[in-house]
Amino acid sequence: MDTELAEIARAGGCHCSGRLHRGNYPRKPRCCPDEVYGDFDWRYSFSCNLCRKRTTPVSVRFLGRRVYLGLAVVLMSAGRTEATSAVGKLSGITNVPVNTIQRWRNWWASEFPLTPLWQAACARFMPPVELVQLPASLIERFKGTEAESMLRFLFFLSPLTIERLITMNEGC
Ligand SMILES: [Zn+2]
């Protein structure tokens, strides 16, 4: 899907009417299984042959500049319990620090509802999505098998992946 999204961005060219050339960014993703690491250790990006400006397409693999995969951020934020022991257990299984998981959960609760993406889209969901249960309450609104609804959800989130509004991206 990222390949298709990148092709759309490349075909659109630069706003200065220059041509876009491949200039991918290296990434060092965390929470990425070894067997697929090679599919995730870079991100599509282009640079213009005239003005040199970068164009980085939206992505379903990465959520902004966070070093953890988008899927990991979503899955670990979607636990329905706020119990500290549950977060600690999750942290033990995944090696993601407890305070990182808590920061992700806080982002869903306090920052995500304020994003232009959600401000523009929230009225399309009826009945209204329960914000206290984000992101689980939103994932379940996307149809299909678990994998399909997760992919649709990551695609829905993809405009966030190029926004500078993600405020908790330093190092996590
Ligand atoms: Zn340009």
Side-chain angles (χ1 to χ4, degrees), residues 6-167:
E7 185 50 37
I8 292 166
R10 194 199 60 73
C14 183
H15 62 85
C16 79
S17 78
R19 287 166 55 92
L20 295 177
H21 292 282
R22 181 75 63 87
N24 293 340
Y25 285 118
R27 299 286 300 244
K28 289 182 180 164
R30 294 193 200 155
C31 274
C32 184
D34 290 344
E35 55 269 34
V36 294
Y37 194 86
D39 293 330
F40 289 86
D41 65 353
W42 53 278
R43 179 167 177 175
Y44 281 109
S45 188
F46 302 96
S47 57
C48 175
N49 69 335
L50 297 180
C51 73
R52 299 281 160 203
K53 194 170 180 293
R54 281 269 185 179
T55 296
T56 299
V58 298
S59 170
V60 297
R61 293 179 298 161
F62 304 107
L63 205 46
R65 286 157 46 203
R66 295 186 183 97
V67 297
Y68 291 93
L69 296 188
L71 181 61
V73 175
V74 168
L75 285 177
M76 273 179 261
S77 303
R80 286 185 171 274
T81 174
E82 290 302 311
T84 310
S85 61
V87 175
K89 199 172 168 189
L90 189 59
S91 170
I93 296 167
T94 59
N95 278 329
V96 178
V98 167
N99 56 10
T100 298
I101 299 173
Q102 292 289 15
R103 197 155 57 230
W104 290 342
R105 292 182 173 199
N106 290 341
W107 180 81
W108 286 105
S110 59
E111 305 284 332
F112 175 75
L114 302 177
T115 59
L117 171 72
W118 184 245
Q119 293 289 311
C122 63
R124 300 207 317 251
F125 295 92
M126 280 294 156
V129 172
E130 275 192 69
L131 296 182
V132 291
Q133 298 287 359
L134 281 172
S137 56
L138 189 50
I139 296 168
E140 65 191 24
R141 300 297 181 94
F142 290 83
K143 294 188 179 1
T145 63
E146 271 185 30
E148 287 165 351
S149 62
M150 180 60 73
L151 190 58
R152 290 192 172 113
F153 180 61
L154 290 170
F155 181 68
F156 170 76
L157 293 180
S158 67
L160 288 177
T161 65
I162 53 170
E163 276 178 6
R164 291 169 193 278
L165 289 164
I166 293 178
T167 53

